[in-house]
Amino acid sequence: MDTIVAKTILVTGATGQIGSDLVKELSKQDKNTQIIASSRQANSNLENESLVYQVLDVTDSQRLQEIIKWYGVDTIYHLAGILSAKGERDRELCWNVNINGLKNILEAARTYHLKVFSPSSIAVFGTNTPKFKTPQITIKEPSTIYGITKVTGELLCQYYAHQFGVDVRSLRLPGIISYNTPPGGGTTDFAVEIFYRAMTQGSYTCFVRPETRLPMMYMLDAIKAILELMQAKSTAIKIRSSYNITAVSFSAAELVAEIQKHLPDFTCDYQPDFRQAIADSWPSVIDDSQARIDWGWQHSYDLPAIVADMLGHLSLKLG
Ligand code: AKB
């Protein structure tokens, strides 16, 4: 029997930390949904009945539009992006991918009437922003090129929503902790690396100071947040720039202590590098009450639950 394709979703950055988990979850959710997983490098070995892989550099608007037309895409989860630490090393790439890539997505959304998810970040905030209970609407003067692209991206999303009625939705994601695909080039990467080193080497040299406290979220919560935001009624979405969203905030030392409850011999020393200044410019605790009010956001994983689940999955993965 032929399957009726109910929806066609394009995921950009599908081999990245969030993209790879999102693709898995989307494939599970509705067997009638056709998923086009795309990234700059081909990865066709994960193809199945409801999933095809396409090579796509989001800065190439012609290729993007060809894929949209060919498959009849109606929704884009735009996860392709350059993170904060990598962005400082390659500003040109960061600007090109994060700004021109997003503009191509929004133009395509305007032309083909697509629904879009586009992640923003806590990196939109800077040292002049209140660090605790950072409000939804506040000063956004980032000190990184990544943060600048994210503020600009938020404004672009809001502009396309208000001027052209594009149904674009966004979250200011905190550091995301996950066991499937490691992050690459972020400042919050220490909170993932530490688990791998704890399991394989029993020690870790952390690139931020022990008291560095940042907002974080477990991947399962992040995927839930993205899907719930996208499933919410359009009228519930009051913010078209990007929603503050968070789950927990903890310091590097608190993370170490929680891991030591499971692995008492684990040790961590600290050698802060250029990423310390980036972390210091970001909020410690985010106020995400607007997301909780507008579309019912609730997180499930606190620090003990994250650590227990991470170590459980990594011990299976790493053997
Ligand atoms: C990064 O560290 O760059 C990202 C982010 C918080 O946006 N994880």
Side-chain angles (χ1 to χ4, degrees), residues 180-215:
N180 274 327
T181 309
T187 301
T188 57
D189 290 10
F190 72 89
V192 180
E193 279 174 15
I194 194 169
F195 286 97
Y196 282 85
R197 297 288 161 75
M199 297 289 296
T200 57
Q201 292 167 24
S203 64
Y204 179 58
T205 300
C206 185
F207 57 75
V208 296
R209 284 191 297 272
E211 68 277 14
T212 308
R213 180 179 300 276
L214 289 168

Side-chain angles (χ1 to χ4, degrees), residues 83-85 121-123 146 173-175 185-188 282:
L83 297 182
S84 55
S121 163
I122 54 166
Y146 172 67
L173 293 175
T187 301
T188 57
W282 290 350

Side-chain angles (χ1 to χ4, degrees), residues 239-261:
I239 305 283
R240 291 292 178 169
S241 52
S242 192
Y243 276 98
N244 275 9
I245 187 134
T246 192
V248 282
S249 285
F250 51 78
S251 68
E254 285 164 353
L255 177 57
V256 171
E258 193 59 41
I259 293 174
Q260 284 167 335
K261 288 184 190 165

Side-chain angles (χ1 to χ4, degrees), residues 49-63:
E49 217 177 59
S50 63
L51 181 77
V52 293
Y53 259 90
Q54 284 292 341
V55 175
L56 171 64
D57 177 341
V58 291
T59 63
D60 182 348
S61 73
Q62 198 184 328
R63 169 106 181 111

Side-chain angles (χ1 to χ4, degrees), residues 143-303:
S143 56
T144 59
I145 189 74
Y146 172 67
I148 294 167
T149 66
K150 287 296 174 186
V151 174
T152 312
E154 287 191 5
L155 293 173
L156 273 177
C157 288
Q158 184 171 259
Y159 172 80
Y160 273 82
H162 291 167
Q163 295 297 320
F164 308 116
V166 172
D167 189 357
V168 53
R169 304 170 182 207
S170 176
L171 300 171
R172 288 177 183 148
L173 293 175
I176 306 295
I177 298 173
S178 67
Y179 52 84
N180 274 327
T181 309
T187 301
T188 57
D189 290 10
F190 72 89
V192 180
E193 279 174 15
I194 194 169
F195 286 97
Y196 282 85
R197 297 288 161 75
M199 297 289 296
T200 57
Q201 292 167 24
S203 64
Y204 179 58
T205 300
C206 185
F207 57 75
V208 296
R209 284 191 297 272
E211 68 277 14
T212 308
R213 180 179 300 276
L214 289 168
M216 298 280 179
M217 185 181 282
Y218 200 37
M219 180 62 88
L220 293 171
D221 272 337
I223 299 295
K224 183 164 84 107
I226 293 169
L227 295 180
E228 284 179 4
L229 176 76
M230 288 298 273
Q231 282 153 10
K233 280 204 180 98
S234 188
T235 48
I237 308 300
K238 307 276 192 275
I239 305 283
R240 291 292 178 169
S241 52
S242 192
Y243 276 98
N244 275 9
I245 187 134
T246 192
V248 282
S249 285
F250 51 78
S251 68
E254 285 164 353
L255 177 57
V256 171
E258 193 59 41
I259 293 174
Q260 284 167 335
K261 288 184 190 165
H262 300 259
L263 302 170
D265 295 336
F266 170 60
T267 57
C268 184
D269 64 351
Y270 299 89
Q271 283 177 23
D273 65 16
F274 74 102
R275 289 168 283 192
Q276 182 68 55
I278 300 177
D280 287 345
S281 75
W282 290 350
S284 297
V285 181
I286 297 278
D287 174 2
D288 63 359
S289 49
Q290 180 100 41
R292 290 175 192 262
I293 293 164
D294 286 1
W295 47 276
W297 164 240
Q298 273 183 312
H299 70 277
S300 302
Y301 287 81
D302 60 8
L303 178 59

